[in-house]
Amino acid sequence: MEVCPVDCIEEGKDMFHIDPDICIECGACEAACPVQAIYMEEDIPEEEEKYIQINRAFFED
């Protein structure tokens, strides 16, 4: 979370979430993620695509 220059990462109950309205797609978090769970949207593996909606829903509440 500390690597984000625009502070768009928030901790949720089960995972961290990136606010797509604030993110500037700099890639700093992608390189720093200890579990390699962050991808640029166009590079998301098919089996991880379900997390796109989970992330969006987090910020709709």
Side-chain angles (χ1 to χ4, degrees):
M1 288 175 46
E2 295 85 23
V3 299
C4 181
V6 294
D7 197 29
C8 71
I9 303 171
E10 293 188 30
E11 187 172 1
K13 180 180 176 187
D14 299 319
M15 60 188 252
F16 287 88
H17 301 269
I18 299 172
D19 189 331
D21 292 331
I22 298 173
C23 180
I24 60 170
E25 299 182 16
C26 68
C29 60
E30 186 177 6
C33 180
V35 294
Q36 292 78 43
I38 301 174
Y39 304 91
M40 292 298 176
E41 191 165 0
E42 62 273 4
D43 297 329
I44 296 174
E46 189 174 321
E47 65 271 10
E48 303 289 334
E49 288 181 355
K50 63 186 175 198
Y51 292 104
I52 296 171
Q53 186 54 39
I54 292 170
N55 190 71
R56 287 184 181 138
F58 178 82
F59 292 101
E60 290 175 356
D61 294 338

